[in-house]
Amino acid sequence: MTRAFGLLLLLPLAGFALEAISGSGEFVFPARAWGLTLAGAASTAALSIAVGVPAGWFLAGGGPVRSLAALPLLLPTLLAAACWMALGLPIPGLFGCAVIHGAVYWPVVALAVGAALARIPRPHLDAADLQLSRTQILRLVVWPHARRPLLAAAGIVFLLSASEFTVPATFAVPTLSVVIYERLSAFQFAAAAWAGLPMILAALAFAIWVRRIPLIPKAGAARFPRTPALTAGAWVIATAAWILSFGLPVALFVNRAGTLSAVLSVWADFGVSIVWSAGVAAAVAAILVTWSSLSARRSAMEPLWLAALFLPGIVPALGLAALSGRLGLPLWFMDSGALLALALMSRFAAVAWLPLRDAVERSHIEAGELSGMSRARIWRKIVLPAALPKALAAGAIVFFLALAEIGPAVLLSPPGRQTVALHLFNWMHYGYDETVASLSLMLVGTVGAVWSLVHVGCFRRNPIAV
Amino acid sequence: MSGVSVGIRSLSKSLGGRVVLRAIHLDVAAGEWLALVGPSGSGKTTLLRLIAGLDRPEGGEILFDGCDAASIPPRHRDVGMVFQDLALWPYLSVHDHLSEVGGDAAGELVERFGLTGLERMRPHELSGGEQQRLALARAVARSPRLLLLDEPFSSLDPVLRRALAGTLRELQREREITTIYVSHYFETPVLNASRVALLCQGRIEQAGTVAELRENPKSEWVSAFFADEAEVDS
C-alpha cells in the first residue's frame, strides 16, 4: 500500500518524461536559459558558501541559535523578492536574483557545516592538538569531516537556485524554469519538457549521491572547540546574514502593512483563498507524514522523490497536467484541487520521508514483530511515539512549503480558487504595497509557527533515548 | 509447551556483496541449549536473524520440527529474541513492555526477573542490568518455543552475568525451550550448553560438546580459538 502510494507520487515526473518523448511542439535547445540558469545558480552557491561556512563555524558551538539559523531558510523566496521591492532597489538582473536566492539558501550551507563540525569526535581533536599545528588540524582533521557535507550543501543550493521559479518570474529573468513555463503557455509541451529533462537527470544523480550525507544537526551539545577570535568573526557574519535575510524583511513588512486592523482587513479580503490554501497544504502534509511514518524504512525510490524536490515546481505540474489531459480525466476531478495536491505531494515527498524513514530503530520494529504484535499495534505503540516529534516537524515544513509554493499553483489551481501565495505573486507584479506587505506578514507568521514545531521536533534533545 | 527442533540446511547469505554465511548445516534438538560461538563478523547475528525470519536467506532452508519455515512470518514463528542492542521500546514502561507481549503474565515476569518496583519506569531510566533483565523477560513473555540470544550479557559485570544466566537456564529447563545462545567467547552460558557450534567466516567449523571440541579439535583454527579463548567466567 505504502509502496503503491510511493509510485503514485512519481506519476508527475513520469508524465513529464512522457511529454518530452511524445508531446507536441518542436525541440529547441534553450541555450541562453541554460547559461543564465547555471551562472545564476553558481553565483548563489558561491554566496551561500561565503556566508554559510563562517556561520556554520559559529553554529558548531550548538545552543538555541542553531535552530534560529533555520528561520531564513523557511522564508519563501517570494518574500525575499518582496523585500527587495520594499527596499526600493532597481529591478534585479541575473545576479540580483542570485543575491535574493543566496539570502534564503545560505542556512543550508551553515547548518550542514555546523553539523559536520559538531560531529568531529573530540578524541580526534585532542590527539591532533597534542601533535599538530592549527593549520594541520584544519587540513587533516576538520576539512575531511566538513568536505562532503559542504559539497552536498553547495550542490543542494545550486539545484534549488537553478530550479527556482518565483524570483526570476517576478523580475522577468528568462531562466530555465521561466522558459519551461513560457513554452507550456504556448502549448509546446514537448519543447517545455525537453528543456527541463537534463535538469531531471542532474537532480536524480545528485539525489543518489546526497542522500547518505547527514545534513541535519544532531541534537545535543557540540564538542567542537573553536578559537575565540575566529568565532567572534564568524558570529559577526552569521548575525549580519541573519538580520539581512530574516530580520530586515520582517521589519519592512511590519512597517508597510500599517495598523493591525488594516492587516486583518487584507487577510479578511483573502479569507477564502487563505482557508483554501491552508486546507490543501494541510491535506498534503497529513497524507505525506502518515505515509512516511507507515513505511518507516528505506526505499529504492528515494532518489526519485528527492530529485523532485530539486526540480522547478512547474515540472511535476506540467507532467500532471499533460498526463491528466491524455487520460481524459473528468472535469470535476481536475477542478477539485486533487491534481494540485498530488503535484505538491510529488514535489515535497522527500521532506516528509527522509526525517521519518529512520525515526524508529529497525530492531524495535523487529522486536515487535517477533513479539506477535500486529502491524497496527506496532505502528501505534512503537512507531508513532518515537516518530511523533519528527512527524510534527516534517508535517509543519511540508505544510508551509505547500502553502508558499507557486509553480504547481500557477498551472493547477482550479478556476476561481487561487492559493494565497499565487495571489501574492500576482499582486507583486503591480508593485509593493500594503496588500503585499500584509500577505507577506501572514506567511511570516506561518514561518514562526512552523519554526516552533521544527524546533521541538528536530533540535531539542529527545529525553527518551536508550 | 516444549521447544521446537531447528534444522538448518545449506543456508547462505550475503550482505553488501560480502558472503556472510556459506552453506551452513546445523541441527538443534527440541529443548536443547546450543551455544553459537565465533569471532566478530563470523555471521552469528546474521544466522540468528535468518532463523527468526527477520532476513531472507539466499539459499538453503530452515526447518522447524522438520517443516520449511520460509513461509512463516516472524510474528508467527513463536520465537523470542534478545537483540544485541536490546531493542527496548523507548516510550513504553517496563509493565507495558511485558503486558503488550505477555498479557496477564506480566506480573509474574516482573517478579521472576527482579523488576519489582520498576514497573512504571521506561528503559532510559533503568540501569544496564535492569535493561538486560527487561529484554530477557520480554523475550520469554510469550512462552516461545525457540529463544535466540544475541550476546545478551556482553555489557554486564561477571556477578550480574552469572545471576542472569542462572535465571535463564532455570527457565529454559523448566519450559524446555530450545535456546540458541550467541557469544564471541567462552563464558558460563556457553560452557553450560549441551553443545557448542563454532562459526568461522560463515562456516560451522566444528560442533560438539565443549569437551569434544577441546579434546578433538578438527582444525588448527579450533584449537587456536580454544587456546586464545580459554577465558572462563570466575
Side-chain angles (χ1 to χ4, degrees):
Chain A
M1 183 69 181
T2 52
R3 198 170 297 172
F5 185 76
L7 281 169
L8 180 73
L9 293 176
L10 298 178
L11 265 188
L13 292 187
F16 189 83
L18 184 67
E19 214 51 44
I21 297 165
S22 59
S24 60
E26 288 179 12
F27 170 63
V28 181
F29 183 72
R32 181 162 180 259
W34 266 102
L36 287 174
T37 302
L38 294 179
S43 306
T44 304
L47 184 63
S48 297
I49 289 172
V51 177
V53 169
W57 180 279
F58 174 66
L59 293 177
V65 288
R66 203 161 49 176
S67 63
L68 279 175
L71 271 172
L73 186 59
L74 288 171
L75 211 64
T77 48
L78 185 64
L79 298 196
C83 175
W84 183 281
M85 294 167 76
L87 286 168
L89 296 170
I91 291 178
L94 178 69
F95 293 104
C97 289
V99 170
I100 295 174
H101 287 156
V104 175
Y105 297 138
W106 67 267
V108 174
V109 175
L111 288 169
V113 170
L117 296 181
R119 280 179 181 170
I120 301 175
R122 186 60 194 257
H124 292 198
L125 292 163
D126 289 343
D129 259 344
L130 293 174
Q131 290 171 308
L132 303 177
S133 69
R134 284 194 185 287
T135 319
Q136 280 178 307
I137 292 174
L138 281 175
R139 186 166 55 84
L140 300 173
V141 182
V142 176
W143 173 242
H145 273 90
R147 185 181 53 202
R148 273 164 52 105
L150 175 62
L151 277 175
I156 288 173
V157 169
F158 182 89
L159 285 172
L160 287 175
S161 174
S163 65
E164 217 281 320
F165 170 74
T166 313
V167 176
T170 305
F171 298 118
V173 177
T175 59
L176 202 58
S177 54
V178 175
V179 166
I180 293 173
Y181 176 67
E182 286 172 352
R183 288 184 174 184
L184 183 72
S185 304
F187 297 102
Q188 295 187 324
F189 278 29
W194 268 112
L197 211 51
M199 194 176 256
I200 290 188
L201 298 177
L204 187 59
F206 181 76
I208 290 170
W209 177 72
V210 83
R211 69 187 180 129
R212 292 187 183 277
I213 298 174
L215 289 172
I216 299 174
K218 235 180 183 173
R223 293 162 294 186
F224 184 64
R226 300 157 308 155
T227 51
L230 273 178
T231 305
W235 179 83
V236 170
I237 293 173
T239 309
W242 193 89
I243 290 172
L244 284 173
S245 58
F246 189 78
L248 180 65
V250 174
L252 288 169
F253 299 148
V254 169
N255 183 49
R256 185 59 188 266
T259 61
L260 180 63
S261 61
V263 172
L264 291 175
S265 162
V266 171
W267 290 2
D269 288 345
F270 289 91
V272 175
S273 176
I274 291 171
V275 171
W276 156 253
S277 316
V280 171
V284 166
I287 293 170
L288 282 183
V289 165
T290 307
W291 163 69
S292 303
S293 66
L294 281 172
S295 310
R297 64 179 67 184
R298 285 175 180 264
S299 164
M301 287 184 276
E302 272 172 30
L304 289 163
W305 300 325
L306 193 55
L309 185 65
F310 298 136
L311 293 170
I314 50 170
V315 164
L318 189 157
L320 212 50
L323 204 60
S324 57
R326 283 174 185 272
L327 293 173
L329 292 177
L331 203 58
W332 63 264
F333 182 78
M334 312 259 284
D335 287 352
S336 68
L339 287 182
L340 175 62
L342 183 55
L344 291 169
M345 284 192 279
S346 169
R347 182 143 160 73
F348 300 126
V351 179
W353 176 269
L354 292 178
L356 288 173
R357 64 152 190 215
D358 294 328
V360 188
E361 294 282 339
R362 190 79 209 122
S363 61
H364 291 182
I365 296 173
E366 289 171 350
E369 285 174 358
L370 286 179
S371 300
M373 294 164 82
S374 66
R375 282 183 203 284
R377 203 164 182 78
I378 288 174
W379 187 77
R380 192 163 60 83
K381 289 281 182 180
I382 300 170
V383 176
L384 193 60
L388 199 58
K390 283 187 175 177
L392 273 178
I397 293 176
V398 170
F399 171 80
F400 184 72
L401 290 174
L403 189 73
E405 177 71 352
I406 299 292
V410 168
L411 291 182
L412 298 174
S413 283
R417 282 188 185 166
Q418 287 192 355
T419 64
V420 68
L422 190 53
H423 272 303
L424 177 58
F425 176 67
N426 289 336
W427 209 269
M428 279 168 62
H429 286 85
Y430 300 108
Y432 179 76
D433 61 8
E434 290 78 8
T435 303
V436 171
S438 298
L439 290 178
S440 299
L441 268 183
M442 193 215 74
L443 289 177
V444 168
T446 318
V447 166
V450 166
W451 174 82
S452 306
L453 288 171
V454 172
H455 182 73
V456 170
C458 288
F459 291 97
R460 278 183 56 190
R461 181 190 283 275
N462 185 350
I464 299 168
V466 179
Chain B
M1 189 185 288
S2 62
V4 65
S5 69
V6 180
I8 293 167
R9 304 281 177 269
S10 305
L11 202 66
S12 304
K13 177 75 180 173
S14 300
L15 291 174
R18 183 176 147 255
V19 180
V20 182
L21 295 177
R22 301 159 196 268
I24 294 260
H25 275 269
L26 187 66
D27 283 301
V28 189
E32 183 181 5
W33 176 296
L34 177 91
L36 194 60
V37 182
S40 300
S42 56
K44 305 184 295 291
T45 299
T46 306
L47 181 53
L48 283 201
R49 290 179 62 82
L50 292 176
I51 294 171
L54 298 173
D55 290 330
R56 286 179 181 278
E58 275 152 18
E61 55 184 3
I62 296 167
L63 310 174
F64 281 6
D65 280 340
C67 301
D68 189 357
S71 59
I72 309 173
R75 63 171 56 84
H76 295 138
R77 288 197 178 201
D78 222 351
V79 170
M81 183 164 174
V82 176
F83 290 76
Q84 211 165 14
D85 67 351
L86 302 184
L88 295 173
W89 301 312
Y91 291 85
L92 297 191
S93 67
V94 168
H95 178 267
D96 288 346
H97 266 88
L98 300 180
S99 60
E100 280 295 333
V101 182
D104 295 340
E108 184 201 326
L109 288 164
V110 163
E111 203 174 315
R112 178 156 210 164
F113 283 88
L115 296 166
T116 309
L118 308 173
E119 292 92 330
R120 287 172 176 274
M121 291 193 178
R122 290 195 275 192
H124 71 284
E125 297 168 308
L126 302 175
S127 69
E130 288 161 351
Q131 289 180 3
Q132 301 266 14
R133 293 209 295 269
L134 176 57
L136 273 175
R138 183 183 65 182
V140 299
R142 263 210 317 170
S143 299
R145 297 181 69 203
L146 174 62
L147 188 57
L148 306 173
L149 306 164
D150 193 358
E151 306 197 23
F153 306 138
S154 54
S155 61
L156 296 183
D157 63 77
V159 177
L160 200 54
R161 199 184 306 161
R162 271 201 303 277
L164 270 179
T167 309
L168 196 60
R169 191 74 175 125
E170 187 184 311
L171 197 78
Q172 191 263 340
R173 280 186 178 142
E174 184 186 300
R175 298 188 186 175
E176 296 180 341
I177 310 171
T178 308
T179 303
I180 302 179
Y181 184 98
V182 158
S183 181
H184 61 275
Y185 72 111
F186 284 88
E187 52 182 320
T188 306
V190 175
L191 296 170
N192 288 342
S194 45
R195 278 191 314 139
V196 177
L198 288 175
L199 196 61
C200 175
Q201 294 182 341
R203 283 201 180 89
I204 299 286
E205 195 72 15
Q206 192 174 347
T209 63
V210 174
E212 284 169 2
L213 296 177
R214 205 188 294 271
E215 285 158 22
N216 299 306
K218 280 188 180 169
S219 68
E220 281 185 18
W221 182 84
V222 175
S223 54
F225 194 77
F226 262 95
D228 292 341
E229 301 285 339
E231 177 186 339
V232 177
D233 284 356
S234 55

